[in-house]
Amino acid sequence: MFYAGDITLPGRPLMEQTPDKRAGDAERSHALDRLGQYFADGYLDITEFDERTGKAAVARTQGELEALFADLPEQQDPQVFTAPVPRSEVSAQRELDEVLSRGKKLQRIDGAIWAIVLILFFLGTFVFSVGFAWVLFPLGAFASWGARSALDVGDEDEELIEELRSKEREERAERLRRAAERRRELGQ
């Protein structure tokens, strides 16, 4: 069920909002933002998103806007879970979160290691004319291997992390591209 309060504007009493009242640009824009969120959360497919955003852009009354959300659930805080999650799924999610966390730490450590190696190499080679500055590269590789061992990140973990990040970047880019394209079509 849709609640009229979902399109309430700050400082505007709820009793003023009735289905027959005219909708303005602010209400239409808010409806477009909400539809974008439902699309991003997977409640709408691309066809439904296109159809509903088109209707939202030309809606004349608040009732027309309300009708766009009639079959959608209330938007909730993404941190709130509405259905109980099986214990095995919770532990798998925890394990995945730990792997991703270790992956982020490893990425930062690797960045620092290789930045230091490159700085010392260029300083040693070009400033101090040290002939064996190349030794820093095997030392950097050893330090990078040590970081992986210390954080317990294996090859499979790195492949999984990269796969998830790549998929996430692609999905986000597609959603943003599609939303931007739709906004241009609607002249917003």
Side-chain angles (χ1 to χ4, degrees):
M1 178 172 195
F2 177 80
Y3 295 93
D6 287 340
I7 59 170
T8 301
L9 294 175
R12 195 171 199 185
L14 185 60
M15 65 183 163
E16 281 186 16
Q17 296 182 358
T18 59
D20 296 330
K21 284 252 187 210
R22 298 285 290 194
D25 288 340
E27 287 92 354
R28 284 188 286 273
S29 180
H30 183 70
L32 288 170
D33 290 342
R34 288 188 60 228
L35 287 169
Q37 187 62 48
Y38 279 114
F39 176 62
D41 290 343
Y43 288 102
L44 299 173
D45 63 28
I46 203 118
T47 306
E48 291 172 312
F49 176 71
D50 284 346
E51 180 184 317
R52 291 182 194 217
T53 53
K55 288 179 181 178
V58 297
R60 291 188 176 160
T61 66
Q62 292 178 9
E64 291 174 28
L65 291 175
E66 290 173 8
L68 298 173
F69 300 94
D71 64 334
L72 296 170
E74 281 188 71
Q75 286 179 321
Q76 298 180 4
D77 183 356
Q79 301 299 323
V80 177
F81 295 101
T82 55
V85 181
R87 189 177 300 254
S88 62
E89 197 173 311
V90 170
S91 64
Q93 284 296 326
R94 241 185 239 134
E95 185 177 359
L96 178 61
D97 290 342
E98 288 174 17
V99 168
L100 292 174
S101 175
R102 289 192 314 254
K104 286 180 184 178
K105 288 177 188 173
L106 180 62
Q107 189 176 24
R108 283 188 224 116
I109 291 170
D110 269 350
I113 288 171
W114 290 105
I116 291 169
V117 164
L118 288 174
I119 290 169
L120 291 177
F121 174 75
F122 284 111
L123 284 174
T125 302
F126 299 112
V127 176
F128 301 111
S129 300
V130 175
F132 56 88
W134 60 269
V135 155
L136 292 168
F137 289 103
L139 289 175
F142 183 73
S144 192
W145 172 81
R148 281 165 175 69
S149 294
L151 291 173
D152 194 27
V153 176
D155 291 340
E156 300 86 20
D157 293 339
E158 284 193 83
E159 287 175 17
L160 174 65
I161 291 166
E162 184 52 38
E163 180 184 329
L164 290 172
R165 285 186 183 150
S166 175
K167 191 180 279 187
E168 188 176 289
R169 282 191 300 264
E170 289 171 9
E171 288 173 356
R172 184 173 189 275
E174 177 59 25
R175 283 193 312 265
L176 292 174
R177 184 195 65 74
R178 187 72 183 134
E181 184 179 295
R182 189 64 179 155
R183 281 230 171 190
R184 278 193 302 272
E185 288 174 5
L186 298 172
Q188 298 275 329

